[in-house]
Amino acid sequence: MYLIVYVDDGIIATDEDQTVKLFLKKLESEFSVVIGKANYFFGMQIEYLESGKIFIHQEAYCRKILSRFDMINSNPVSTPIEKGVITIDDSASLSADVPYREAVGSLMSLAVVTRPDIAYAVEVLSQVLDKPQQIHWTMVKRIQRYLNGTKKCGIMYLGVTSVTLVTPRN
């Protein structure tokens, strides 16, 4: 059995229904809880597919990031980073009003939760949070363009038979 808890929400995943029933019975004896099918958790969208497959993605969060940074109508690219990445060059430092840290933080959230395909590119950008240059902002925009073409990419879990959302009531 897997139990994921975030503040006052939790997800239980197991291949044994009896295990979940016993756990929930004990939980309900201690707390008032709401039990239901998990469709959304910690910014993840959860889709149940045939034969027990579960697909998690953050399409809505991708759209939010793209809208926030005015990239929703950008032309998609096929990779999140170009080959032979330049991390420091002679380009100008970014002005303080460019939301570089916010953009990299948003991308980091995606990379950690459902988008390992952008993890390397985001890691490169996170190394220069203290003194980003124009080249780094261009790299941020490239990742966002990549996301614009791959909004619904995520992680597929195979063979999971039971996932339950648990929310304690006050």
Side-chain angles (χ1 to χ4, degrees):
M1 179 172 83
Y2 294 95
L3 173 63
I4 303 167
V5 178
Y6 180 73
V7 185
D8 63 352
D9 286 331
I11 290 184
I12 301 168
T14 184
D15 58 357
E16 299 176 15
D17 286 338
Q18 190 60 28
T19 303
V20 171
K21 289 176 185 174
L22 289 172
F23 180 77
L24 291 176
K25 185 175 181 178
K26 177 66 175 165
L27 192 63
E28 288 176 311
S29 72
E30 299 290 327
F31 305 99
S32 174
V33 296
V34 175
I35 300 168
K37 193 172 188 178
N39 294 310
Y40 191 82
F41 183 74
F42 192 59
M44 286 185 304
Q45 293 161 261
I46 304 167
E47 295 181 20
Y48 301 89
L49 307 175
E50 75 284 342
S51 66
K53 295 177 185 175
I54 294 178
F55 178 59
I56 61 169
H57 61 89
Q58 291 176 283
E59 181 182 11
Y61 187 59
C62 278
R63 289 182 189 284
K64 183 177 177 180
I65 290 170
L66 294 170
S67 291
R68 178 177 179 197
F69 296 102
D70 198 27
M71 294 294 285
I72 199 75
N73 294 317
S74 63
N75 294 324
V77 293
S78 61
T79 60
I81 193 168
E82 292 183 69
K83 186 177 179 182
V85 175
I86 300 170
T87 57
I88 297 178
D89 68 0
D90 293 330
S91 65
S93 293
L94 288 179
S95 65
D97 64 331
V98 175
Y100 182 80
R101 286 176 178 256
E102 293 86 349
V104 172
S106 297
L107 296 171
M108 182 67 73
S109 179
L110 279 174
V112 168
V113 178
T114 62
R115 297 298 300 263
D117 55 329
I118 67 170
Y120 174 74
V122 174
E123 185 269 333
V124 168
L125 295 175
S126 68
Q127 292 179 18
V128 294
L129 287 173
D130 59 330
K131 266 187 128 171
Q133 297 172 310
Q134 185 59 47
I135 186 92
H136 302 114
W137 187 241
T138 301
M139 291 169 68
V140 164
K141 294 297 186 182
R142 181 180 179 91
I143 296 171
Q144 292 171 342
R145 290 176 57 209
Y146 172 74
L147 290 175
N148 200 24
T150 62
K151 289 182 223 52
K152 198 166 177 175
C153 284
I155 299 172
M156 178 80 68
Y157 291 97
L158 308 176
V160 177
T161 58
S162 177
V163 175
T164 304
L165 178 65
V166 177
T167 305
R169 283 256 199 235
N170 291 336

